């Protein structure tokens, strides 16, 4: 079991919102007693992986392939499913960017997982993940609980503070993304 975060990156580098999600994922993983894992996808994953290790991920997985050079939903979802299997992840978190929402929704559908889009907070209650969403034009906060063993969540940007960077730590491992 683990909590997995997709570190989204573009040509200009990793998305800062992914590291905000990673900071909260570390708290969630600690509360659940499992490791925090990040998945970095693309052709050149070295810089993003090094940066992710500075934000406290227990394991950084790099999934590199020329097929992942440009964002294509089906290829990215397939590679993330490989990462989920490799990490035995039961919680998958993404930033709720345009790409992150698409990836999270498709992953949830393919994995028959519970899905909470655009959450503004996360917590563990009774050993289970609880996602908080704002509804009715942000006038009401509602808790989303999951009945499935797998949970996929997209987190609104700026919902959590940027974690403090520290010395690189954690294990980095290359994983074959399984895309061609």
């Amino acid at each position: 079991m683990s909590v997995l975060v997709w570190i989204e990156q573009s040509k200009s580098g990793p998305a800062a919102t992914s590291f905000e999600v990673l900071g909260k994922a570390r708290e969630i993983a600690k509360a659940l007693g499992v490791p925090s894992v990040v998945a970095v996808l693309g052709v050149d994953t070295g810089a993003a992986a090094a940066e992710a290790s500075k934000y406290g991920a227990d394991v950084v997985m790099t999934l590199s392939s020329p097929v992942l050079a440009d964002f294509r939903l089906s290829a990215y979802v397939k590679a993330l499913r490989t990462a989920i299997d490799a990490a035995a992840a039961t919680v998958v978190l993404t930033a709720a960017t345009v790409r992150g929402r698409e990836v999270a929704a498709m992953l949830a559908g393919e994995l028959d997982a519970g899905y909470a889009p655009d959450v503004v907070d996360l917590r563990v209650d009774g050993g289970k993940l609880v996602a908080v969403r704002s509804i009715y034009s942000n006038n009401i906060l509602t808790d989303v609980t999951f009945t499935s063993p797998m949970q996929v969540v997209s987190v609104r940007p700026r919902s959590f503070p940027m974690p403090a960077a520290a010395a690189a730590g954690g294990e980095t491992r290359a994983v074959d993304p399984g895309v061609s």
Side-chain angles (χ1 to χ4, degrees):
M1 292 178 47
S2 68
V3 175
L4 184 131
V5 177
W6 172 44
I7 302 298
E8 182 181 343
Q9 60 177 344
S10 63
K11 303 281 187 214
S12 61
T17 57
S18 295
F19 297 123
E20 294 169 7
V21 175
L22 173 56
K24 188 64 172 185
R26 288 178 30 222
E27 291 176 29
I28 297 298
K30 185 176 180 181
L32 292 172
V34 298
S36 59
V37 179
V38 299
V40 181
L41 283 60
V43 172
D44 182 18
T45 57
E51 195 167 348
S53 70
K54 290 179 186 176
Y55 288 108
D58 295 317
V59 178
V60 177
M61 292 192 297
T62 59
L63 294 91
S64 300
S65 170
V67 175
L68 301 172
D70 295 311
F71 179 76
R72 289 198 327 243
L73 183 60
S74 59
Y76 271 61
V77 168
K78 181 170 177 148
L80 278 170
R81 286 188 69 174
T82 301
I84 290 165
D85 291 342
T90 55
V91 175
V92 179
L93 304 174
T94 70
T97 60
V98 172
R99 292 177 180 179
R101 287 182 185 111
E102 287 181 339
V103 166
M106 190 163 176
L107 271 174
E110 287 191 7
L111 296 170
D112 197 27
Y115 176 50
D118 292 326
V119 305
V120 295
D121 198 8
L122 294 165
R123 70 177 186 275
V124 174
D125 189 10
K128 294 191 175 231
L129 181 67
V130 178
V132 180
R133 294 190 67 223
S134 64
I135 58 173
Y136 296 113
S137 301
N138 296 324
N139 289 317
I140 297 174
L141 295 177
T142 185
D143 289 348
V144 177
T145 57
F146 300 91
T147 57
S148 63
M150 172 70 81
Q151 299 102 42
V152 178
V153 178
S154 66
V155 179
R156 277 192 192 168
R158 292 177 216 75
S159 292
F160 306 117
M162 186 73 149
E171 167 192 356
T172 299
R173 81 175 93 133
V175 175
D176 179 8
V179 294
S180 59

